[in-house]
DNA sequence: CTGAAAGCGCTTACAG
DNA sequence: CTGAAAGCGCTTACAG
């Protein structure tokens, strides 16, 4: 059957402690012995069981990644960055899609605790932070990615959503737009609220007040319908700021259905800069997705290393990416 | 500190064996005792360590998922389906992006073996199947998803790539197109070869022969350039079949750059039907992505359950999805 | 219906 | 430089 540390020890005529030492590069082992044991391990195709070592060493080298939906391109790109950065440090990652449902968050939280992951990156929203209770209860290290949770003091990496919203407003106003609409995510998502707030403030700073009738919230599914309402009303906007690329694509399709040409009849700006934006030639506020993922892993691992430390909070700047969906007011 | 099975046993005044039995619903425990122990576990927030139980029971309830790139929408959607179906059966999944590099395949294969996952779904290509050696060596159950590996006898789920290619050809020919081009993936990818083969055969069956100069292979990055070569040559095609949606989007952008209108000047058909296709209004051959993921998990779990059994091979039918990127020859 | 004991495959003081 | 032994937190025959 599969070789164990005992098989190697017997084959080498040493104790399992010695084999363990050469595996982990600990203790002082004579060079010849080390080489010999290494050779035997290689020859027998032996790799130590991480389950057994985790039981004693309390390290599983596994992380959990909670996101709303791994099939959403934004989170898929985040996941890739997290995977790569984790891998670089020897960690594997479990994917956990929550659909933003507290019940799923809690189920995964309990599961990850039972699996004894070394840490969890939380990139999902939730109504009630107590869904994380199973993690908190056992002091499982966590880090927040693109989310804020004011109630808990944990390492966090976000982009400056407020500045991103403001950048969108400034871009559209510079293009001459004055009648601005906003397609936001659900009210409960703080990043979306911040984007809208930044957009509104920057608009007002330029002397433009948002018409409350032109500010709507929308889920992923009904974005096209919500956008249609905006675009078909009388006195329709000349520009729409959407709080993520998916919503912006809903707006693009609504515009098409309403017979409007983009950008001539209406400018549209998204947020995130996922592959969806590049593929649809959407002007958007880019999040540094790769750095978000990398930074979250780094913060988490640092936190695992020194649990006492005060939690860091890193804010990354968003960047306007101009493409074909926005243009000067005609 | 964190409660263990000993704490629960002591609190309840019973042996750990009894606690273990109520956890696993095994043995005969008096109803009152069971209820009492359940209560104590709940009160102390106790959940058994899956690491410890894995060491004895040999079940980690973890699966590995090997894909080329989790940030590619096709595989992100696959991952979601695998995650959900796994979750339904109590399994968590590790994401493993290989970039189609044998070296990464092998590294992940070794890692997953060390982590003692209960099985691995392989949805990535590789030049040399021996990259899977670490898995094969320890008899880790595997299942193939949207890939074939003739050398090993393992459960497999694929879509009928040949039929999909043929469907694309029939669609274009029915629209009156005769001068057909193909943008394929690298030659080494069997699914791509099959799609091209099906396309070619169906075309020939309709009396249309492919011009070798109009059949090109391309990576993800240079798809636009490859498509431009096709579209800018003299005697350009009136329709292009692309072996996946990403390539088709490259073609879409190439067409735009070349000043061609889609679909009036050139029809384009993709493959996969990821979110990218719906978002760009691309006519495409749809793979049943969700069913692919579900089926792979089911085959794998069945294989885990009865290792002796002969491996199943399930072929799912693709479906033509007509959108705005193809139309009758004008 | 319940418990004592061995064992899963490692790591880690500790002793020599 | 190397080994004996305890322990990590469970499960599983086996005995009663």
């Amino acid at each position: 059957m599969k070789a164990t540390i005992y098989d190697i020890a017997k084959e080498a005529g040493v104790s399992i402690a010695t084999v363990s030492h050469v595996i982990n590069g600990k203790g002082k082992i004579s060079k010849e012995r080390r080489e010999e044991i290494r050779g035997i391990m290689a020859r027998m195709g032996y790799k130590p069981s991480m389950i057994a070592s985790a039981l004693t060493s309390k390290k599983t080298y596994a992380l959990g990644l909670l996101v709303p939906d791994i099939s959403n391109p934004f989170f898929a790109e985040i996941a890739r960055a997290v995977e790569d950065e984790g891998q670089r440090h020897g960690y594997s990652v479990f994917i956990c899609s929550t659909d933003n449902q507290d019940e799923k968050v809690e189920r995964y939280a309990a599961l990850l605790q039972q699996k004894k992951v070394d840490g969890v990156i939380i990139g999902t929203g939730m109504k009630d932070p107590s869904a994380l209770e199973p993690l908190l209860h056992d002091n499982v290290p966590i880090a927040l990615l693109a989310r804020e949770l004011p109630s808990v003091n944990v390492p966090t990496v976000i982009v400056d959503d407020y500045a991103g919203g403001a950048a969108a407003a400034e871009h559209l106003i510079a293009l001459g737009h004055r009648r601005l609409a906003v397609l936001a995510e659900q009210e409960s998502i703080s990043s979306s609220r911040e984007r809208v707030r930044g957009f509104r403030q920057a608009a007002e700073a330029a002397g433009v007040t948002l018409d409350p009738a032109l500010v709507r919230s929308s889920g992923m599914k009904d974005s096209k319908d919500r956008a249609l309402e905006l675009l078909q009303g009388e006195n329709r906007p000349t520009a729409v700021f959407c709080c993520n690329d998916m919503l912006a694509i809903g707006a693009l399709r609504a515009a098409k259905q309403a017979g409007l040409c983009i950008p001539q009849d209406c400018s549209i700006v998204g947020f995130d800069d996922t592959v969806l934006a590049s593929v649809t030639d959407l002007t958007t506020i880019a999040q540094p997705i790769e750095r978000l993922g990398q930074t979250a892993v780094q913060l988490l691992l640092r936190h695992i290393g020194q649990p006492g430390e005060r939690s860091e909070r890193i804010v990354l700047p968003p960047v306007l990416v101009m493409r074909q969906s926005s243009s000067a007011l005609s």
Side-chain angles (χ1 to χ4, degrees), chain A residues 18-257:
Chain A
T18 300
V19 178
S20 177
H21 283 148
V22 354
I23 291 170
N24 299 294
K26 289 193 176 171
K28 306 268 131 210
I29 311 285
S30 71
K31 189 158 177 167
E32 310 88 71
R33 252 205 194 337
R34 190 201 327 281
E35 288 316 319
E36 186 197 350
I37 293 174
R38 285 245 172 82
I40 292 173
M41 296 196 296
R43 178 156 51 73
M44 299 181 67
Y46 168 77
K47 297 274 185 180
S49 160
M50 294 184 75
I51 293 296
S53 74
L55 189 57
T56 21
S57 71
K58 305 300 168 198
K59 293 275 301 173
T60 55
Y61 290 97
L63 304 177
L65 174 63
L66 289 179
V67 292
D69 181 4
I70 188 74
S71 75
N72 171 319
F74 176 72
F75 295 105
E77 292 171 36
I78 288 280
R80 181 50 137 97
V82 167
E83 180 198 343
D84 285 353
E85 187 67 16
Q87 190 67 11
R88 184 169 303 130
H89 298 276
Y91 291 81
S92 304
V93 2
F94 281 119
I95 53 175
C96 310
S97 297
T98 69
D99 293 316
N100 281 319
Q101 293 171 215
D102 284 22
E103 184 224 329
K104 291 193 184 176
V105 172
E106 185 154 9
R107 189 139 44 87
Y108 268 122
L111 192 62
L112 292 171
Q113 181 268 314
Q114 286 196 67
K115 297 233 173 194
K116 303 298 172 196
V117 296
D118 294 333
V120 178
I121 291 175
I122 298 171
T124 186
M126 64 203 85
K127 305 239 184 314
D128 181 358
S130 72
L132 298 177
E133 190 46 46
L135 260 18
L136 273 18
H137 178 270
D138 272 22
N139 268 308
V140 180
I142 63 181
L144 261 30
L145 190 161
R147 302 282 165 176
E148 304 254 29
L149 229 47
S151 48
V152 263
N153 176 35
V154 291
T156 303
V157 56
I158 50 166
V159 327
D160 191 336
D161 291 301
Y162 180 91
E170 285 155 13
H171 170 63
L172 291 172
I173 284 171
L175 290 173
H177 296 278
R178 292 293 176 271
R179 190 150 177 79
L180 309 175
V182 174
L183 198 56
E185 298 181 72
Q186 301 125 320
E187 188 57 34
S188 62
I189 299 178
S190 66
S191 58
S192 182
R193 282 200 310 271
E194 278 302 287
R195 291 168 195 180
V196 175
R197 199 168 67 83
F199 187 84
R200 185 191 306 273
Q201 297 270 325
E204 286 177 357
V208 176
T209 308
L210 295 194
D211 177 347
L214 293 186
V215 179
R216 312 236 165 177
S217 292
S218 161
M220 287 297 133
K221 320 283 169 144
D222 58 341
S223 61
K224 187 174 144 200
D225 296 338
R226 290 293 85 70
L228 258 180
E229 294 170 10
L230 288 173
L231 263 21
Q232 291 189 146
E234 47 198 274
N235 226 338
R236 67 170 172 76
T238 66
V240 183
F241 168 54
C242 305
C243 283
N244 68 47
D245 290 341
M246 291 275 239
L247 292 176
I249 282 166
L252 246 26
R253 318 197 77 191
K256 191 168 187 179
Q257 182 170 328

Side-chain angles (χ1 to χ4, degrees), chain A residues 48 51 143 150-151 181 183 203 248 256 263 291-293 311-312 322:
Chain A
I51 293 296
S151 48
L183 198 56
K256 191 168 187 179
R291 280 197 59 207
L292 271 176
S311 297
E312 281 183 84
M322 282 185 263

